[in-house]
């Protein structure tokens, strides 16, 4: 049985109409289990949106990502980025809004998402957030991205970090890799959506 | 113990080359432990000093207690040369 809206067939016999091109499509997902990294292959979607949920480090460390243009052989794409943060602690005596470290100026190393400091490794500590990459397959433009991350800081702070920048390459991005600066991703889920 | 990565949801054992790269990354991270810890101390110290900077303007005279407090903050990193010392700093109480 089909679903027709304003003369347009949206669903028919379980299939989604090809005329619906603006939807959010779950492309892939991964659930960490003491994983050294989590990697995804990028394709031709106009926008990739990643949600990272309760990503828990094996040891206190910074959560980060990097990009590849050679099918994941090397994660070393040149990036220029900026970041800022707000924070408050459980003790109630240290708060702030400031520019954060871990920006990159034509750096090829990973871009830290928990820009302020390490995510705590207590059993109840983790980080959550989302990262958007625009036009990853472009061979004309630099590839812009932005991320917002909330995490439990190792010293019991709530920290909200904002990171944005661009991959300064006109090669298509082929892969993305999430890691901690040290140790494994003990647990957590990352979802990759595509949008056209 | 071998390490594994998740590639498009599939668990893949790291190559020897990838293992070596991660070992190097771990060593660099561990070597930077004190730098990260003392940077956090300085960030907090600087924020606390800034909180009372307005009291040190030229048209105001600092109280002795506030002078002592601000000096204690400026001296907070004296002798702090290990991560453990960074984590166990006793911060002065604001007058």
């Amino acid at each position: 049985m089909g679903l027709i809206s304003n003369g347009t067939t949206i669903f028919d016999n379980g299939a989604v109409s090809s005329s619906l091109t603006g939807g959010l499509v779950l492309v892939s997902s991964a659930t960490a289990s003491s994983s050294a990294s989590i990697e995804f292959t990028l394709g031709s979607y106009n926008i990739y949106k990643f949600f990272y949920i309760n990503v828990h480090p094996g040891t206190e460390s910074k959560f980060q990502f990097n990009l590849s243009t050679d099918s994941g052989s090397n994660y070393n794409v040149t990036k220029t980025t900026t970041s800022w943060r707000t924070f408050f602690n459980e003790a109630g005596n240290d708060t702030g809004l400031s520019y954060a470290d871990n920006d990159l100026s034509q750096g090829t190393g990973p871009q830290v998402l928990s820009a302020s400091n390490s995510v705590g490794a207590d059993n109840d500590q983790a980080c959550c957030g989302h990262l958007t990459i625009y036009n990853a397959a472009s061979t004309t433009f630099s590839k812009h991205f932005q991320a917002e991350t909330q995490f439990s800081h190792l010293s019991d702070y709530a920290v909200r970090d904002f990171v944005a920048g661009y991959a300064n390459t006109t090669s298509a991005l082929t892969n993305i890799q999430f890691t901690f600066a040290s140790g494994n991703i003990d647990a957590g889920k990352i979802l990759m959506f595509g949008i056209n | 113990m071998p390490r594994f990565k998740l590639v498009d949801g599939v668990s893949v054992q790291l190559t020897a080359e990838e293992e070596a790269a991660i070992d190097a990354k771990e060593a660099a991270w561990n070597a930077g432990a004190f730098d990260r810890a003392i940077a956090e101390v300085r960030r907090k110290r600087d924020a606390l000093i800034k909180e009372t900077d307005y009291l040190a303007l030229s048209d105001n005279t600092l109280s002795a207690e506030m002078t002592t407090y601000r000096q204690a903050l400026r001296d907070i990193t004296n002798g702090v040369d290990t991560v453990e010392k960074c984590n166990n700093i006793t911060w002065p109480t604001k007058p």
Side-chain angles (χ1 to χ4, degrees):
Chain A
M1 181 177 161
L3 172 62
I4 300 172
S5 175
N6 201 25
T8 300
T9 299
I10 299 173
F11 297 104
D12 188 21
N13 198 25
V16 181
S17 167
S18 60
S19 64
L20 296 175
T21 56
L24 196 65
V25 177
L26 177 61
V27 179
S28 185
S29 69
T31 301
S33 178
S34 298
S35 308
S37 63
I38 294 179
E39 302 173 15
F40 294 102
T41 302
L42 304 172
S44 58
Y45 282 97
N46 288 330
I47 300 170
Y48 280 98
K49 185 97 183 173
F50 298 87
F51 290 93
Y52 31 103
I53 305 156
N54 290 339
V55 177
H56 176 74
T59 58
E60 295 165 348
S61 193
K62 297 181 180 183
F63 188 53
Q64 57 191 17
F65 79 99
N66 210 338
L67 299 160
S68 172
T69 57
D70 58 6
S71 301
S73 296
N74 296 283
Y75 286 93
N76 59 358
V77 170
T78 301
K79 296 172 288 299
T80 294
T81 67
T82 183
S83 66
W84 58 281
R85 64 185 177 184
T86 65
F87 59 87
F88 194 30
N89 62 343
E90 290 183 15
N93 60 8
D94 190 14
T95 185
L97 162 64
S98 62
Y99 194 79
D101 296 336
N102 295 314
D103 49 1
L104 297 172
S105 176
Q106 295 296 83
T108 58
Q111 172 59 51
V112 175
L113 291 165
S114 59
S116 297
N117 211 314
S118 295
V119 179
D122 292 352
N123 288 339
D124 63 349
Q125 293 183 311
C127 70
C128 298
H130 54 91
L131 163 69
T132 307
I133 300 176
Y134 301 93
N135 212 4
S138 172
T139 54
T140 303
F141 294 105
S142 300
K143 268 64 77 175
H144 295 265
F145 54 82
Q146 53 190 0
E148 179 180 356
T149 305
Q150 156 61 30
F151 68 97
S152 315
H153 180 281
L154 63 96
S155 300
D156 297 332
Y157 286 67
V159 185
R160 190 180 187 195
D161 272 320
F162 297 83
V163 172
Y166 54 87
N168 198 2
T169 176
T170 52
S171 299
L173 301 177
T174 59
N175 299 74
I176 184 169
Q177 178 190 60
F178 294 91
T179 57
F180 276 105
S182 174
N184 288 332
I185 305 173
D186 246 18
K189 190 167 192 173
I190 301 181
L191 306 175
M192 178 171 81
F193 290 90
I195 306 171
N196 273 329
Chain B
M1 188 172 166
R3 298 183 178 102
F4 292 84
K5 60 182 179 181
L6 281 173
V7 181
D8 296 324
V10 178
S11 185
V12 178
Q13 186 170 343
L14 299 193
T15 64
E17 190 179 34
E18 289 171 328
E19 289 276 6
I22 289 188
D23 287 342
K25 184 182 79 167
E26 302 281 347
W29 174 263
N30 292 334
F34 174 71
D35 289 342
R36 290 192 300 277
I38 197 70
E40 187 66 12
V41 171
R42 290 194 174 107
R43 181 204 60 76
K44 184 172 180 178
R45 184 269 313 275
D46 293 348
L48 291 172
I49 289 177
K50 276 184 188 170
E51 271 183 9
T52 57
D53 273 351
Y54 74 99
L55 294 171
L57 295 174
S58 59
D59 60 349
N60 185 65
T61 303
L62 274 178
S63 67
E65 293 80 6
M66 186 56 72
T67 300
T68 301
Y69 170 70
R70 286 168 58 85
Q71 187 61 52
L73 288 174
R74 283 192 287 270
D75 293 341
I76 203 76
T77 56
N78 288 354
V80 177
D81 52 10
T82 66
V83 172
E84 187 178 9
K85 288 179 182 175
C86 290
N87 293 336
N88 290 300
I89 282 177
T90 302
W91 293 89
T93 303
K94 187 177 174 183

